[in-house]
Every structure is written in C-alpha cells, then in structure tokens.
C-alpha cells in the first residue's frame, strides 16, 4: 500500500480557486455545526425548567449527536476521507452513526409529541423524565452496538447486514416520519383549535409545529440519500461514486441540516432563545461600556464620549 493511499490530504487538491472554496466551505460547515449545537446544548443544560420537559431532552440528544458530527466533519469532510469498509482512513462508521443518532432522536421526538397531544393524561403517567432518558439511552446503545457488530464480523457479512438493515430501516422510518408529520399537522390544526385558549394549549401547539418543521427539513435533507440507497439496493449497483465524503452532495445535505436544526430550535422556542441570548452568548460577546472624558459637541455643548 502506497503512502498516498493512507496519508491525509485536503478534501480536494488546493490547486484551483474552486477547490480552495470547497476546502473553506467544509471548514466553515464543521465550525457552524459545532458552534450552533454547542450553543443549544449549553442553553438547555443551564436552564432547569427546560431540562424538566421531555421534548428538550430529545433536543439535548440531537444537539449532542450533531456536536459529534461537527467535530468528526473536520476529519471526514475537510480531509480526503471515504468512510467505507475497505478504506484505510475510515472512522469504522462512527462518524455517520452520529448523523443516524440525530435522525433517531427526531423520530423519537415526533413520537413523543404525538403521544403527548393525542393522549395527554396517559402520556403524563407513562412518559416520566426517567423513562424518556431510558428511550434516549436505548437508541444510543443500539446504534453503537450495531457499529461494534459491524466492526467485529467479516467485511462481507458486515456489508450484507448493513445493506439489508439500511434498506428496510430507511423505508419504514421515512413512512413513519411522513405519517406522523401528517397526523401531527392535522392535530395541531384542528384538535388543538377546539381546546379553550390557555398557556398549555399554546405550548402544545408551538411544540408540535416546531417538531413538524424540524422533521420536514430533516426529510428534505435525508430523502435524497435514502432514495439513492434504495435505488442502489434494487439495481444492485455500487452506491456513492464520489471521491470522498466532503465532495458527496448526498452526504453534505445531512450536515447542512445539522446547522439548520439548532437554528429552528432557537427560532421556534422562546424560552430556549432567551436562555441562549442571556446566559450563553451574552457573557461571551458582552462589551463593557464606560464613560470617557467630556468633549465639545457639534453645538458647542460638552458631551460625554463613551468608550468600549
């Protein structure tokens, strides 16, 4: 094996203006994913009232998995890396697993909102905070168990298991997510409108609309790669003919969604946004303003000049 095949190099040779832009785009994308999701993660962790709600636990899980995705993208996206079974520079499928965990978190959050709105009394009895944490723990353990099994068996068996599991999983999860989106939309539009005006109703409606919008954008980012995988499984051809992860648009789209998701959380949740601006970003960006000396103003009057 030659040194070039195992050595790390930029995502594209930096010999043209377009390649340099692509390299910078990958760095900026990795930084944006990491920064925004750390901001949301810290906002939830610093607000006790947010941590007491189940839906924010799923946001916390999504943010943490996307933080890991952003950090790993400095490797798989910025550098010339292809995460396949026969690649010497692979991450043993750990990096794409973080994206999958984000997908599972949003699917679980949709199911959680559906249960909370359609059966609020049963939901309050069944889905305690500890049980919600158990659900989150379950899909994290499940995801990395699959990673461990795939790395322990032979390459041929791993490809078969992954191919069948991905094919079946994609079809069922897409159908479930689309079905839940439609159901949640009609619930938010008709059922909640019949309830008397109250703070609880508005909280329910805003949380349902938020998870619907997040899921819609999530599907828009993931459907191209799902459809491509399904078509490849039917045809029997090899998927992903791109040079590496950083130049594959089907794999860039889910990473773009990892930037969009925290922005949607911030935009759609007032309490999260308030915590972010007052406790996370403000202490970091606050500029001290102190009065300076008195100087003559345009009308000859003395004015105080503030200095930062």
């Amino acid at each position: 094996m030659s040194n070039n095949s195992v050595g790390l190099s930029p995502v594209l040779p930096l010999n043209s203006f377009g390649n340099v832009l692509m390299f910078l785009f990958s760095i900026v994308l990795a930084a944006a994913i990491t920064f925004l999701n750390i901001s949301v993660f810290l906002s939830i962790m610093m607000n006790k009232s947010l941590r007491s709600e189940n839906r924010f636990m799923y946001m916390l899980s999504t943010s943490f998995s996307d933080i890991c995705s952003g950090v790993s993208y400095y490797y798989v996206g910025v550098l010339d890396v292809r995460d396949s079974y026969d690649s010497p520079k692979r991450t043993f499928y750990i990096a794409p697993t973080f994206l999958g965990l984000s997908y599972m978190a949003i699917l679980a959050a949709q199911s959680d909102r559906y249960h909370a709105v359609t059966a609020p009394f049963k939901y309050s009895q069944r889905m305690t905070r500890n049980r919600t944490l158990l659900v989150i723990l379950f899909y994290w353990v499940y995801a990395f168990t699959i990673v461990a099994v795939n790395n322990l068996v032979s390459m041929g068996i791993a490809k078969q298991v992954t191919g069948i599991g991905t094919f079946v999983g994609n079809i069922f999860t897409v159908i479930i997510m689309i079905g839940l989106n439609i159901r949640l939309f009609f619930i938010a539009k008709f059922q909640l409108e019949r309830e008397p005006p109250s703070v609880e109703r508005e909280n329910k409606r805003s949380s349902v609309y938020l998870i619907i919008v997040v899921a819609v954008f999530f599907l828009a980012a993931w459907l191209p790669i799902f459809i491509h995988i399904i078509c490849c499984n039917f045809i029997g051809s090899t998927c992903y003919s791109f040079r590496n992860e950083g130049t594959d648009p089907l794999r860039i789209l889910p990473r773009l969604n990892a930037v969009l998701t925290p922005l949607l959380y911030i935009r759609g949740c007032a309490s999260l946004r308030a915590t972010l601006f007052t406790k996370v970003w403000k202490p970091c960006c606050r500029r001290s303003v102190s009065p300076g000396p008195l100087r003559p103003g345009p009308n000859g009057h003395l004015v105080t000049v503030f200095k930062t």
Side-chain angles (χ1 to χ4, degrees), residues 288-292 304-308:
S288 61
V289 179
S290 58
T304 302
V305 179
F306 290 89
K307 57 184 180 180
T308 59

Side-chain angles (χ1 to χ4, degrees), residues 235-283:
I235 298 172
S237 61
T238 303
C239 293
Y240 309 121
S241 58
F242 296 92
R243 170 175 175 165
N244 49 39
E245 302 273 324
T247 56
D248 187 346
L250 297 178
R251 298 197 177 193
I252 292 174
L253 271 176
R255 264 88 184 196
L256 289 174
N257 186 75
V259 174
L260 186 60
T261 298
L263 291 176
L264 291 173
Y265 285 154
I266 295 168
R267 176 65 182 84
C269 183
S271 54
L272 175 66
R273 186 167 62 250
T275 305
L276 177 68
F277 289 153
T278 58
K279 293 185 178 181
V280 179
W281 284 356
K282 188 176 180 179

Side-chain angles (χ1 to χ4, degrees), residues 68-272:
C68 297
S69 295
V71 173
S72 64
Y73 200 67
Y74 280 110
Y75 177 68
V76 298
V78 175
L79 302 176
D80 182 17
V81 174
R82 189 175 182 186
D83 207 355
S84 58
Y85 287 104
D86 53 352
S87 172
K89 295 175 282 189
R90 67 189 183 277
T91 66
F92 298 94
Y93 278 86
I94 294 175
T97 297
F98 290 126
L99 284 174
L101 282 165
S102 182
Y103 181 84
M104 294 170 73
I106 291 178
L107 182 62
Q110 272 199 303
S111 303
D112 179 83
R113 288 300 87 198
Y114 178 79
H115 187 193
V117 174
T118 56
F121 297 109
K122 291 182 179 179
Y123 175 83
S124 60
Q125 295 173 351
R126 294 174 182 172
M127 292 308 298
T128 61
R129 188 169 181 272
N130 288 338
R131 288 183 179 177
T132 300
L133 293 176
L134 280 176
V135 171
I136 295 171
L137 178 64
F138 170 78
Y139 62 70
W140 273 81
V141 172
Y142 168 79
F144 280 100
T145 300
I146 298 298
V147 171
V149 170
N150 283 337
N151 286 312
L152 290 174
V153 300
S154 64
M155 186 184 301
I157 296 175
K159 285 183 177 180
Q160 290 179 356
V161 172
T162 302
I164 296 172
T166 303
F167 175 68
V168 175
N170 288 346
I171 291 177
F172 278 101
T173 53
V174 167
I175 292 173
I176 291 171
M177 187 171 281
I178 291 175
L180 281 178
N181 264 328
I182 295 172
R183 287 282 297 161
L184 283 172
F185 175 78
F186 283 109
I187 287 171
K189 188 172 180 60
F190 298 110
Q191 181 173 322
L192 291 179
E193 291 295 337
R194 291 198 297 265
E195 294 185 8
S198 64
V199 175
E200 184 181 359
R201 189 193 74 167
E202 292 306 313
N203 287 336
K204 282 183 182 180
R205 184 163 59 180
S206 62
S207 65
V208 168
Y209 277 133
L210 177 59
I211 195 61
I212 289 174
V213 172
V214 169
V216 166
F217 279 99
F218 202 92
L219 282 172
W222 279 83
L223 274 178
I225 193 171
F226 286 165
I227 293 171
H228 187 57
I229 291 173
I230 292 170
C231 291
C232 289
N233 276 274
F234 272 119
I235 298 172
S237 61
T238 303
C239 293
Y240 309 121
S241 58
F242 296 92
R243 170 175 175 165
N244 49 39
E245 302 273 324
T247 56
D248 187 346
L250 297 178
R251 298 197 177 193
I252 292 174
L253 271 176
R255 264 88 184 196
L256 289 174
N257 186 75
V259 174
L260 186 60
T261 298
L263 291 176
L264 291 173
Y265 285 154
I266 295 168
R267 176 65 182 84
C269 183
S271 54
L272 175 66

